[in-house]
Amino acid sequence: MTLKAPFYLWFALVFLITNLVHEGAHWLMAAALGMDPRFGLNIVRYAPGAADWQRALADAAGPVVTIVQGIVAYVVVTRSASITAFAFLYAAAFMRAVAALVSVMHPNDEARLGMYLGLGKWTLPLLVAAGLIVLAARGSRRLGLGWKDHVLCYLTASLAVSAIVGLDRYLL
């Protein structure tokens, strides 16, 4: 199978949807815990004074939703060879891998949660990113995607994430 141009437009939109759902999960958990959160495209800010356990739960909510998205999408890809589901699987894997890389300078959700749980800064980010990347690779193999598809997916994903991060600076 070779991915066609309309897929890449949909693919970019999937990144926005995935990011909004991920950040929405942080926001919902923080709001449920009374943390007075502020929602952005790429970040949810919590009001000062929250307990560590509250921040840990709010930090965990986004990755949990993204992991579930990746697993569900993987199941759909393997059962029905859906390129739509593959877009959601790839988005989950790419976003958590990028978030893990960003932890070099600023600990991401999984890094903060790992430190809270005493697992260190890298255990959870590496496990989550690696697990989702393995699922995306298997999904890609199921679809029979070639190297050109992978290059275009990577470029589209990079542009989509850059646009989301860039736009977030103007919205929050």
Side-chain angles (χ1 to χ4, degrees), residues 43 107 140:
I43 191 168
S140 169

Side-chain angles (χ1 to χ4, degrees), residues 102-155:
V102 168
S103 288
V104 169
M105 297 184 313
H106 179 72
N108 77 339
D109 306 330
E110 293 93 334
R112 289 190 307 271
L113 184 60
M115 290 186 295
Y116 176 77
L117 295 173
L119 300 172
K121 181 178 176 180
W122 293 105
T123 304
L124 291 178
L126 292 177
L127 286 174
V128 169
L132 289 170
I133 289 168
V134 166
L135 294 182
R138 288 182 177 175
S140 169
R141 194 174 9 225
R142 167 70 170 92
L143 295 173
L145 301 180
W147 70 269
K148 290 179 186 175
D149 297 311
H150 289 284
V151 168
L152 289 172
C153 281
Y154 176 80
L155 292 173

Side-chain angles (χ1 to χ4, degrees), residues 10-36:
W10 164 247
F11 192 46
L13 180 61
V14 165
F15 273 85
L16 178 60
I17 293 166
T18 298
N19 222 70
L20 290 173
V21 170
H22 176 96
E23 298 304 336
H26 287 304
W27 186 90
L28 282 172
M29 180 61 79
L33 295 171
M35 296 170 61
D36 192 28

Side-chain angles (χ1 to χ4, degrees), residues 154-169:
Y154 176 80
L155 292 173
T156 304
S158 296
L159 289 171
V161 169
S162 296
I164 291 165
V165 170
L167 284 172
D168 190 55
R169 295 183 180 274

